[in-house]
């Protein structure tokens, strides 16, 4: 929807409110780094789907907004907390799974109105990406957004001397992701590579204690 219209402004406002209210529990569940990776990848996936749909239908290929990523975050909240009570329009208490149904059905109805100006393909793409991420038990730790993570980090900008160099920092980051997966999904979910990462990290921790 055009940002110069009242509808467009309301569309952006509701997107940001949804991201603020439902994004925080998702970030707490997956960690700030993984949440940031999920959000940015969802933007790219939604944009690709949008461009492909525009190419197929032969219509102007441009859009403004992050609706696809917000839809992905909302649906990931629904998948993780289906029975959590949320307020629809800030007033009506409903279970989160109902919110997911309302969002998908609403987009389906909107897609029938060619004059709506809303890129519902982005919403569908975001929802599909969230479903694949959740049910496929994906982890995006292999994507490195260290620079962006530092920008969005709330930690104080302190410089700490690390005598062991950047390679250990990378191992520590990978171990953090594996430990998060271990806590969330259990030991049986770990791959052989992830187990080796934990073993290597454990050896280094023991060596540091012996320094």
């Amino acid at each position: 929807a055009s940002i110069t219209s009242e509808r467009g402004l309301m569309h952006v406002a509701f997107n940001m409110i949804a991201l603020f209210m439902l994004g925080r529990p998702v970030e707490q569940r997956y960690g700030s780094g993984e949440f940031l990776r999920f959000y940015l990848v969802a933007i790219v996936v939604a944009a690709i789907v949008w461009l492909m749909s525009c190419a197929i239908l032969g219509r102007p290929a441009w859009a403004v907004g992050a609706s696809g990523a917000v839809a992905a975050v909302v649906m990931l909240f629904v998948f993780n907390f289906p029975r959590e009570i949320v307020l629809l329009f800030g007033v009506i208490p409903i279970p989160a799974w109902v919110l997911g149904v309302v969002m998908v059905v609403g987009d389906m109805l909107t897609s029938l109105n060619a004059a709506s100006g809303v890129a519902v393909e982005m919403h569908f793409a975001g929802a599909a990406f969230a479903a694949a991420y959740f049910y496929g038990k994906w982890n995006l730790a292999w994507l490195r957004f260290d620079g962006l993570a530092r920008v969005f980090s709330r930690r104080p900008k302190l410089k700490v001397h690390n005598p062991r160099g950047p390679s250990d920092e990378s191992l520590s980051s990978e171990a953090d992701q594996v430990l998060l997966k271990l806590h969330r999904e259990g030991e049986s979910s770990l791959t052989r590579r992830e187990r080796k990462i934990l073993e290597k990290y454990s050896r280094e921790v023991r060596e540091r204690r012996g320094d």
Side-chain angles (χ1 to χ4, degrees), residues 85-167:
I85 300 299
V86 297
L87 296 179
L88 183 64
F89 304 120
V91 178
I92 307 172
I94 58 173
W97 69 266
V98 175
L99 174 64
V101 172
V102 168
M103 189 177 79
V104 173
V105 172
D107 282 334
M108 292 176 65
L109 295 176
T110 301
S111 67
L112 300 177
N113 179 12
S116 68
V118 177
V120 292
E121 292 88 348
M122 285 190 168
H123 298 182
F124 291 137
F129 175 68
Y133 179 89
F134 179 79
Y135 290 107
K137 297 182 179 180
W138 292 356
N139 187 290
L140 304 176
W142 53 274
L143 288 174
R144 307 300 298 176
F145 293 127
D146 295 338
L148 287 173
R150 284 193 293 271
V151 171
F152 289 97
S153 174
R154 297 180 181 179
R155 297 177 181 176
K157 297 180 180 179
L158 300 178
K159 294 184 178 180
V160 179
H161 174 61
N162 182 3
R164 294 185 175 271
S167 60

Side-chain angles (χ1 to χ4, degrees), residues 55-67:
I56 293 172
L57 298 176
R59 61 188 182 189
W62 64 273
V64 178
S67 296

